[in-house]
Amino acid sequence: MAEDTTLRPFRIAVPQADLDDLRTRLARTRWPADAPAPAWSHGVPVDYLKDLAEYWRTGYDWRAHEAALNRLPQVTTVIDGEHLHALHVRSPEPDALPLVLSHGWPGSIVEFMKVIGPLTDPRAHGGDPADAFHVVAPSLPGFAFSGPARTTGWTLERIARAWAEWMRRLGYERYGAQGGDTGSLISPMLGRIAPDRVVGVHVNGALGFPEGDPAALTGLTPAERARLRLYTDTADRSGYSAIQSTRPQTLAYGLHDSPAGQLAWIAEKFKEWTDPAADLPEDAVDRDQMLTNVSVYWFTGTAGSAARLYKDGAMDWSQPMGSSRVPTGVAVFPGDAGIRRIAERNDDVVHWSEFDRGGHFAAMEAPDLLVTDIRAFFRPLR
């Protein structure tokens, strides 16, 4: 049977019963004893999570954020056997360049809420209308409204091929790609798969890994050595990856049944990966935006299928992707492990920026810097 390639409009509509259930579960959370150790050294402190969970239960307004998401046009379709979802926000500027944005874990399309307006309508945000983009922001397979996934095997290459199909169905023959976290791997992969269509690839975060090339690590600047340590000194912070890349289904039971568990699992990453100058996650990102991201995981029941990204893509993370002739730009924020000479081994890096504020979730933490850098990179490529 041929795959149904129909593009269908989509709106988020979480049943009130699901909201009531979330609040009931949060109110009945069975809290563990806190660790008799320095704060955050054993994970998320109990008092911190209690406070955040109580705000989620009594202060956070899902309906307001659901309405904000629904002000952005959305579409679904079936690609490679999966029902996939994307934001599709066209610019009012007729000559805008299409741009596909890719998130990672534990992110979602919610990450892009602060950048979509300036990217699609720079005229309304104090920018040059010549820098406008038509934005396509898919939910990764198995994530949020592209899930729960019914199949496994969603490698980075398979995702990139799905993105190429997304753009084809939406009628875009020439476009750019941008991404952070896993998106910083998917976007360059898309450039390799469709080099005649992708005019440029922009990433925030690492691009390339230092394995197997000791010569690439000689003569590094102090800043580069510090960033390299972020990549190599990961034993204390890699537990989430170990379980998600081996036994994501076992993890899924706890995250799917306990909103406090889901909240802790994601909040920890916002503590560890945001701007190192921030003491708490909400010092780096808007607390409501972070909770909207968590809520999307909870209401869609996709904690398990999203975690499978690590198992499905386990063989892809540090494998060389082969050389690319697509122009590439890199934005390095505090906490990122990007090193230019490593990035240049396989990618045509023509643009490199380093910033002193922001972090791993750049679209949430420093949207102004990210938007400015994306505009600057793509300006000569249009």
Side-chain angles (χ1 to χ4, degrees), residues 192-231:
R192 286 163 169 79
I193 287 170
D196 296 330
R197 295 182 179 274
V198 178
V199 302
V201 170
H202 182 281
V203 301
N204 51 287
L207 181 64
F209 299 92
E211 291 96 346
D213 188 4
L217 305 182
T218 61
L220 297 180
T221 67
E224 288 173 332
R225 290 193 178 279
R227 289 200 293 270
L228 180 63
R229 285 194 293 273
L230 294 172
Y231 175 79

Side-chain angles (χ1 to χ4, degrees), residues 239-319:
Y240 79 96
S241 178
I243 191 168
Q244 291 192 165
S245 60
T246 55
R247 297 294 183 269
Q249 188 61 33
T250 302
L251 173 69
Y253 298 106
L255 301 187
H256 190 81
D257 191 58
S258 168
Q262 177 70 94
L263 180 62
W265 195 245
I266 291 179
E268 181 185 86
K269 299 304 120 189
F270 276 85
K271 161 63 176 176
E272 294 184 341
W273 295 351
T274 50
D275 192 329
D279 291 331
L280 295 172
E282 55 266 44
D283 295 333
V285 301
D286 179 82
R287 181 166 62 165
D288 274 21
Q289 191 179 15
M290 179 174 69
L291 286 174
T292 301
N293 181 66
V294 177
S295 297
V296 163
Y297 277 82
W298 177 258
F299 289 131
T300 59
T302 52
S305 64
R308 287 206 300 267
L309 174 71
Y310 279 71
K311 189 170 181 67
D312 287 348
M315 297 303 295
D316 293 344
W317 301 110
S318 59
Q319 296 298 314

Side-chain angles (χ1 to χ4, degrees), residues 10-80:
F10 179 82
R11 285 181 61 83
I12 304 166
V14 172
Q16 184 59 42
D18 290 358
L19 284 169
D20 296 340
D21 176 69
L22 169 62
R23 294 179 179 126
T24 298
R25 287 171 182 266
L26 287 169
R28 298 185 61 187
T29 301
R30 190 173 72 154
W31 296 102
D34 211 344
W40 295 92
S41 64
H42 283 56
V44 184
V46 172
D47 286 347
Y48 172 81
L49 200 71
K50 279 184 175 180
D51 181 71
L52 187 59
E54 182 62 13
Y55 176 73
W56 194 16
R57 186 178 75 88
T58 62
Y60 169 78
D61 184 355
W62 163 258
R63 291 300 186 203
H65 297 284
E66 180 184 67
L69 284 166
N70 280 331
R71 284 193 285 273
L72 302 173
Q74 300 167 58
V75 63
T76 62
T77 193
V78 178
I79 299 177
D80 199 5

Side-chain angles (χ1 to χ4, degrees), residues 100-105 111-112 140 156 159-160 163 177-192 201-209 231 309-310 316-317 319 321 328-333 336-338 343 347 360 362 370:
V100 57
L101 298 178
S102 299
H103 66 81
W105 183 92
E111 284 187 63
F112 304 128
L140 294 186
L156 299 181
I159 294 171
W163 276 202
Q178 199 285 328
D181 191 81
T182 310
S184 72
L185 301 173
I186 295 169
S187 298
M189 184 73 76
L190 178 57
R192 286 163 169 79
V201 170
H202 182 281
V203 301
N204 51 287
L207 181 64
F209 299 92
Y231 175 79
L309 174 71
Y310 279 71
D316 293 344
W317 301 110
Q319 296 298 314
M321 290 189 280
T328 300
V330 181
V332 181
F333 291 87
D336 289 338
D347 293 271
H360 186 77
L370 183 62

Side-chain angles (χ1 to χ4, degrees), residues 273-278 284 332-336 355-369:
W273 295 351
T274 50
D275 192 329
V332 181
F333 291 87
D336 289 338
F355 299 101
D356 60 5
R357 64 177 171 89
H360 186 77
F361 301 95
M364 299 172 72
E365 298 181 68
D368 57 330
L369 298 181

